[in-house]
Amino acid sequence: NTAGFGQARLPQREVVAAMRISLRLAFLDLEAHVTCRYDHITIFDGLTTDDSILGVYCGTTENPRCTGGPCPGLDNIEATGIGVRVQFSSDLGSEARGFTLHWTDRPPDLNANSTSFIPSQ
């Protein structure tokens, strides 16, 4: 980045991307269906419903079902960006106990998508 070129030099600084989000479905008890048509959790790889879907989950912890995305396992659902959207949908048919979702955040991996900028002195 050459922001500020030709102007007074900026003090040394570092710009780092925001935290990455990882999810774990610790407990899952939703109505099972081969395409998760009825009760399900949809996890988007971003903050809106326009973002790609990581998975649509239903069933139980012991016998989970997942459709509509790459479907990582229940213990390792990781966003590629800086946010996720979790959307629960239910019909009026069957009732089950629901779900428990844990999340963690961590600094991003240092790769081509990270930015570091230190102006010369």
Side-chain angles (χ1 to χ4, degrees):
N1 188 341
T2 58
F5 179 77
Q7 299 174 7
R9 291 194 179 159
L10 300 171
Q12 184 171 332
R13 66 183 177 142
E14 185 171 297
V15 179
V16 181
M19 303 296 268
R20 301 261 317 252
I21 306 294
S22 295
L23 303 174
R24 181 173 67 88
L25 274 165
F27 176 77
L28 181 65
D29 185 11
L30 300 175
E31 183 177 1
H33 184 266
V34 67
T35 63
C36 295
R37 179 178 178 185
Y38 303 110
D39 299 350
H40 59 271
I41 304 164
T42 305
I43 302 176
F44 295 90
D45 191 10
L47 301 177
T48 73
T49 56
D50 292 329
D51 291 309
S52 62
I53 294 175
L54 291 172
V56 178
Y57 294 88
C58 66
T60 64
T61 307
E62 295 78 25
N63 188 21
R65 297 185 185 275
C66 183
T67 65
C71 293
L74 299 181
D75 291 331
N76 189 26
I77 305 166
E78 188 165 312
T80 60
I82 60 168
V84 296
R85 179 184 185 100
V86 178
Q87 185 171 307
F88 173 67
S89 299
S90 180
D91 65 358
L92 299 174
S94 299
E95 286 186 21
R97 294 184 291 172
F99 65 94
T100 302
L101 181 75
H102 296 282
W103 65 275
T104 57
D105 59 359
R106 64 177 177 76
D109 298 328
L110 295 177
N111 58 33
N113 295 326
S114 295
T115 302
S116 180
F117 172 63
I118 301 175
S120 59
Q121 296 297 321

